[in-house]
Amino acid sequence: MKEIVLLKYGELALKGTNRATFESILMKNIRRRLAPVGAFTVTKAQSTITVTPMTDDIDMDEAYLRLSRVFGIAAISRSAVVEKSFDAMRAGADYLDDALASVKTFKVNAKRSDKTFPMGSPEICTELGHYLLERHPHLRVDVHNPDLVVWAEVRDRAAYLHAGQQMGAGGMPIGSAGKAALLLSGGIDSPVAGYMMAKRGLEIIAVHFASPPYTSERALLKVKMLCQKMSAYTGRVRLLVVPFTELQQEIGEKCPEEYFTIVMRRLMMEMASHLGEKYGCGALITGESLGQVASQTMQAIACTDQSATLPVFRPVIGMDKEEIVTIARKIDTFETSILPYEDCCTVFTPRHPRTRPQLEWVIEAESGLDRARLIEAAVAGTEAVWIDETTELTI
């Protein structure tokens, strides 16, 4: 018996005349995400995508896991595919044995998209339910609160049997909303911010500021590991590593200590804007949460925004730490984020940072810097590397 995966659209189904464009992007994303697993045919009809393995040796558990992380898919189910006849459905019902063996109650739902099929949906439910009761005498039918819902779907090309569907990753297909640059520090918040904006259809490039010897090779490896974790959802990530040592040293020498962090953040925003524009981004993304640290007050955020030339998205701005951690655990970045390696935001930390800075004070504080030269040198020295789930990461 052939096993396939059925994928249902989410809000994509609500699109109008441009729906085909979104569908095309989603299909490409699915094929790209499955490529390391093996060869599949991917077809769409009636707001459902059918993923069929082309060989019998494909790891369907791995394929299912990868598909469950593709944005743009609202629901996902593994299904047996059989010919469009009730006899074939009954013969294929052994596919449901494992699922039915572990429950006490069930019901059957049927969907008959092919209106030429001789049985109506109620008749399919009744007849298949009777057959399953005979096959599994321990079961009883509960149409109101069953332990398991068995689905029989009769579509254009075949009939499908499955034991219900799970929620997909939701959101919109990666790339359907354009591209944005994520400021990735190595902490808990920024990978979550990247995940959340990727879910809205943005392709993510990551910008990391490295300050060797104040930050170590292990700290950079940690950032690459986070990119790899994110890539399970975002697809491969282009990581831009910006040399930040000279800028931080200049800030330390020429700026008042209480403004170190806010000046540093303004330089980061300006450099990320330059790099974002170079790589075709329409926005910046940060993991800032209002009031979490001194640089994330309203006044400080207003000062940093002034140096950005691209719109700044802050998807976790209204979330508390526990909410952010919950998502970090879900996307498997949390344990990597808490590895005890320093990042450039934790070096040159002022003892008493200014929490309510005024823009004119900050501009005066950074007036001794040769901003243009420092930024031009750092942008020119930026190194780029692609990272995905298969990238071998070493120091």
Side-chain angles (χ1 to χ4, degrees):
M1 183 184 309
K2 193 78 170 179
E3 184 180 44
I4 54 92
V5 182
L6 293 176
L7 310 172
K8 306 294 177 66
Y9 295 172
E11 61 185 280
L12 186 61
L14 303 176
K15 296 299 178 184
T17 55
N18 55 357
R19 173 170 160 171
T21 302
F22 289 93
E23 288 177 330
S24 176
I25 295 171
L26 178 58
M27 299 282 278
K28 288 178 182 176
N29 290 346
I30 289 170
R31 293 189 178 100
R32 189 177 298 122
R33 206 66 64 84
L34 288 175
V37 185
F40 294 82
T41 58
V42 182
T43 58
K44 61 180 171 66
Q46 301 168 317
S47 298
T48 299
I49 294 174
T50 304
V51 178
T52 306
M54 296 182 69
T55 59
D56 295 331
D57 59 345
I58 284 179
D59 184 345
M60 291 299 286
D61 290 339
E62 177 65 19
Y64 186 83
L65 176 64
R66 286 172 173 265
L67 290 169
S68 70
R69 294 169 173 172
V70 175
F71 293 128
I73 297 171
I76 177 171
S77 58
R78 292 172 74 157
S79 305
V81 55
V82 299
E83 292 181 2
K84 286 196 296 184
S85 73
F86 186 73
D87 286 343
M89 283 191 231
R90 193 164 51 184
D94 60 346
Y95 177 76
L96 304 167
D97 284 353
D98 288 346
L100 289 168
S102 60
V103 300
K104 295 180 179 178
T105 62
F106 81 109
K107 75 171 184 177
V108 177
N109 282 345
K111 183 175 182 180
R112 190 180 64 122
S113 301
D114 179 1
K115 303 304 181 188
T116 65
F117 192 73
M119 299 171 68
S121 295
E123 188 178 3
I124 295 173
C125 293
T126 302
E127 294 302 322
L128 187 57
H130 283 158
Y131 176 73
L132 293 175
L133 282 173
E134 292 173 359
R135 187 176 178 87
H136 300 276
H138 74 284
L139 290 175
R140 64 182 175 85
V141 174
D142 183 343
V143 297
H144 299 294
N145 189 29
D147 296 333
L148 184 73
V149 178
V150 169
W151 280 86
E153 299 189 32
V154 182
R155 294 179 169 273
D156 289 344
R157 297 171 182 166
Y160 304 93
L161 299 173
H162 60 85
Q165 58 191 16
Q166 296 183 347
M167 290 182 62
M172 295 296 293
I174 294 286
S176 62
K179 189 188 300 183
L182 168 68
L183 278 71
L184 187 64
S185 65
I188 297 171
D189 304 342
S190 48
V192 171
Y195 161 82
M196 293 179 69
M197 294 314 302
K199 188 174 182 178
R200 296 312 307 155
L202 282 175
E203 179 184 344
I204 301 296
I205 71 169
V207 181
H208 176 70
F209 298 89
S211 294
Y214 307 109
T215 59
S216 66
E217 285 295 313
R218 288 191 179 278
L220 180 56
L221 176 62
K222 171 183 167 181
V223 169
K224 292 178 178 178
M225 291 166 62
L226 287 172
C227 287
Q228 192 166 57
K229 296 283 187 183
M230 287 197 309
S231 73
Y233 294 89
T234 65
R236 66 175 185 164
V237 176
R238 190 202 299 263
L239 172 64
L240 306 178
V241 181
V242 184
F244 202 57
T245 308
E246 184 183 4
L247 287 93
Q248 284 199 289
Q249 289 173 333
E250 289 261 333
I251 293 170
E253 292 171 3
K254 299 180 178 177
C255 298
E257 181 183 343
E258 60 186 337
Y259 291 101
F260 280 0
T261 302
I262 193 69
V263 171
M264 180 185 71
R265 295 288 300 169
R266 282 170 51 80
L267 289 170
M268 287 178 171
M269 286 293 199
E270 187 165 344
M271 284 186 284
S273 295
H274 281 291
L275 291 167
E277 289 166 358
K278 177 180 178 181
Y279 287 94
C281 297
L284 304 180
I285 303 168
T286 77
E288 290 163 306
S289 173
L290 187 63
Q292 189 178 105
V293 294
S295 64
Q296 295 175 17
T297 63
M298 281 196 296
Q299 295 84 353
I301 288 173
C303 291
T304 55
D305 272 1
Q306 193 272 340
S307 65
T309 56
L310 293 174
V312 183
F313 296 156
R314 295 181 171 90
V316 303
I317 191 71
M319 300 173 69
D320 65 28
K321 200 65 178 182
E322 193 55 42
E323 291 171 314
I324 297 171
V325 166
T326 298
I327 297 176
R329 291 187 187 280
K330 172 187 170 183
I331 63 175
D332 195 29
T333 57
F334 178 75
E335 295 298 332
T336 303
S337 289
I338 63 173
L339 291 173
Y341 305 132
E342 70 293 328
D343 64 60
C344 67
C345 295
T346 60
V347 298
F348 295 99
T349 302
R351 289 165 293 182
H352 304 290
R354 178 73 69 169
T355 57
R356 297 182 179 180
Q358 298 297 309
L359 181 59
E360 59 270 25
W361 303 344
V362 178
I363 291 175
E364 173 62 26
E366 65 188 24
S367 60
L369 299 175
D370 188 351
R371 280 181 71 101
R373 182 191 66 78
L374 291 168
I375 290 173
E376 182 179 357
V379 170
T382 297
E383 296 180 354
V385 58
W386 283 104
I387 297 175
D388 63 19
E389 293 176 273
T390 65
T391 303
E392 185 175 348
L393 298 178
T394 57
I395 293 178

